[in-house]
Amino acid sequence: GKGTYVAARTARSRLHLASFHDDMRRLGLTPTTVVLEVALTTGPPEAVRALGQGPDGLCWHLRRLRVADGVPMSIDDAWYDAEQVPDLDVHDLSGSVYGILQEHYRLPIDRAEQTVAAHQADEASAVLLGIPAGRPILVFDRTSSSGDRPVEYTVSRYRGDRYELHMSLDRSWA
């Protein structure tokens, strides 16, 4: 033996709709967020499509590094229709954006469509996440809505060694 090593705890999240901060607190972890960028811009084609914007629509692009117990957990790139949230940049975006959407814009997030896929971390993501390039990450592609109105399009990159999903399954048919 070479001594005792303590392995980092993996965050096991139930598949549900919650903010990062709420999810990490529920898991007993202390969440923090570093805002990397807030910019008014034209969104990428997938964000424009998800938000139902025209070709000239403007989006707020919010890029954040999400941290749990001092360890980088994910990078979130989110886009919001600037017409729905015209002054998003004046708010404290280091906390729950879902709370801001509900309290300031009357847009509570109550449903989402999400896809999760395994990828390899590119160099830029790896640096922010503190892992070697090429390591496995989970990429979440999500469109969140308030009622029937799409409000947020997000691509999140989670460390594969620190985050896993849990879901309960049964044989009932809808």
Side-chain angles (χ1 to χ4, degrees):
K2 297 261 184 187
T4 303
Y5 297 91
V6 178
R9 189 170 94 180
T10 300
R12 175 182 271 185
S13 178
R14 284 186 148 312
L15 199 54
H16 65 289
L17 186 59
S19 73
F20 176 84
H21 279 239
D22 290 343
D23 198 27
M24 292 302 109
R25 280 191 209 102
R26 186 185 58 74
L27 295 170
L29 303 171
T30 301
T32 54
T33 296
V34 178
V35 177
L36 302 172
E37 178 183 355
V38 182
L40 190 59
T41 184
T42 54
E46 56 275 11
V48 169
R49 193 171 32 260
L51 295 172
Q53 289 187 308
D56 298 325
L58 290 176
C59 292
W60 284 108
H61 175 215
L62 175 57
R63 184 172 175 84
R64 302 186 296 172
L65 177 65
R66 313 310 288 273
V67 178
D69 281 353
V71 177
M73 189 72 84
S74 76
I75 306 159
D76 293 353
D77 280 289
W79 290 267
Y80 305 88
D81 186 330
E83 286 187 21
Q84 291 179 338
V85 292
D87 58 352
L88 184 65
D89 63 329
V90 303
H91 299 281
D92 176 8
L93 301 172
S94 64
S96 173
V97 172
Y98 284 8
I100 293 169
L101 293 171
Q102 181 169 337
E103 293 168 25
H104 295 281
Y105 301 104
R106 305 291 184 252
L107 294 169
I109 299 299
D110 53 18
R111 70 181 187 84
E113 291 291 324
Q114 178 170 269
T115 302
V116 181
H119 289 263
Q120 292 181 331
D122 60 33
E123 187 67 38
S125 297
V127 167
L128 287 170
L129 292 172
I131 59 175
R135 276 278 175 89
I137 58 173
L138 296 173
V139 178
F140 293 68
D141 183 292
R142 181 175 63 221
T143 302
S144 302
S145 300
S146 180
D148 291 332
R149 190 175 183 183
V151 173
E152 172 191 60
Y153 174 73
T154 305
V155 176
S156 300
R157 294 163 189 83
Y158 277 81
R159 288 177 58 158
D161 64 337
R162 294 280 298 163
Y163 194 80
E164 62 185 38
L165 292 171
H166 173 82
M167 50 204 105
S168 297
L169 307 172
D170 64 38
R171 289 188 58 102
S172 65
W173 304 97

